[in-house]
Amino acid sequence: SLHDALPISCGFALLRKNEEDFMHHEIERKYLIRPLSDGFLRAQPGCEVWEIDQTYLLAPPGETRRVRRIVESGTERFRLTVKRRLSELTSEEDEREIERERYESLLAEANPELQTIRKTRYRVPHEGQVAEFDRYPFWNDRMILEIELDSEAEAARVPDWVEVICDVTADPRYKNVRLAAQVPFDEI
């Protein structure tokens, strides 16, 4: 049924209430890229722009829990996500939309060792995939590009107008949860 509970640890369950709420495998490649201008990215066909506040919550070993406040075209929404890493490229991800009140109550469970990550995400359709460009306020010389894939064998199709510095899929320093603890400022 549409109201089946999805089991989650930490004493709560996610409920599947609509098609926006789901458990799936997230398979992605992540790249460190040279920055692209806001205007250039917004001009890409089909571009969606999300302003995201991402707060990591206390979680048991092996899990990452986060809440997001997303503002898109003046509309605010909230998400709760629980991730479990399965391989270098793949995570099991339980995600659902939540109400503002639930978001605000979950903020009380914020991990005190991690800062809230703020970023602007540009979601650009490209050759059957979605390229997600993340701009962070702490970097002027780089951005992150994530491309979600249908399988680990699928090739990420990076737009030819992107200058890739390096693939950071396997570099734990560039996981958002790690950025919430310490931002790498290595030479690029």
Side-chain angles (χ1 to χ4, degrees):
S1 94
L2 291 178
H3 296 284
D4 292 336
L6 299 174
I8 300 295
S9 59
C10 297
F12 66 94
L14 298 181
L15 298 178
R16 177 170 285 172
K17 295 188 338 188
N18 61 50
E19 291 182 21
E20 292 293 313
D21 305 335
F22 59 94
M23 178 167 55
H24 71 285
H25 287 111
E26 177 188 64
I27 304 166
E28 68 183 11
R29 300 294 290 180
K30 185 178 280 197
Y31 303 93
L32 195 61
I33 65 169
R34 297 278 177 210
L36 297 160
S37 75
D38 177 77
F40 178 82
L41 288 168
R42 286 177 187 268
Q44 297 308 305
C47 180
E48 298 174 1
V49 181
W50 296 359
E51 297 296 335
I52 299 173
D53 292 342
Q54 186 163 296
T55 303
Y56 288 90
L57 309 176
L58 295 169
E63 279 189 1
T64 302
R65 294 175 59 219
R66 71 171 186 231
V67 288
R68 278 183 172 171
R69 176 183 169 269
I70 302 168
V71 178
E72 179 187 6
S73 301
T75 301
E76 188 176 59
R77 64 184 198 273
F78 305 91
R79 286 200 169 151
L80 168 64
T81 305
V82 178
K83 282 188 176 188
R84 289 171 213 82
R85 176 75 39 204
L86 300 178
S87 73
E88 188 175 281
L89 295 180
T90 305
S91 294
E92 182 178 75
E93 184 173 273
D94 303 319
E95 184 171 62
R96 78 169 183 125
E97 297 279 335
I98 58 175
E99 299 296 321
R100 172 191 289 277
E101 295 75 22
R102 178 75 173 132
Y103 168 81
E104 290 174 352
S105 71
L106 285 168
L107 289 176
E109 299 177 34
N111 185 328
E113 297 176 9
L114 303 176
Q115 297 189 22
T116 294
I117 292 286
R118 290 184 172 82
K119 61 185 176 182
T120 301
R121 172 166 283 177
Y122 305 85
R123 294 176 40 88
V124 178
H126 178 72
E127 296 183 7
Q129 298 175 337
V130 177
E132 296 180 330
F133 298 88
D134 289 342
R135 181 184 314 283
Y136 297 89
F138 43 78
W139 284 327
N140 293 319
D141 63 346
R142 64 193 87 181
M143 294 175 71
I144 296 288
L145 166 61
E146 295 180 2
I147 300 177
E148 289 200 21
L149 308 171
D150 290 327
S151 75
E152 289 192 6
E154 181 181 6
R157 292 185 282 283
V158 176
D160 59 7
W161 37 264
V162 172
E163 184 181 345
V164 173
I165 299 166
C166 61
D167 183 327
V168 293
T169 304
D171 189 336
R173 298 174 307 149
Y174 290 96
K175 304 284 184 219
N176 280 301
V177 68
R178 291 287 290 274
L179 293 177
Q182 183 177 0
V183 176
F185 285 102
D186 47 325
E187 284 293 317
I188 55 171

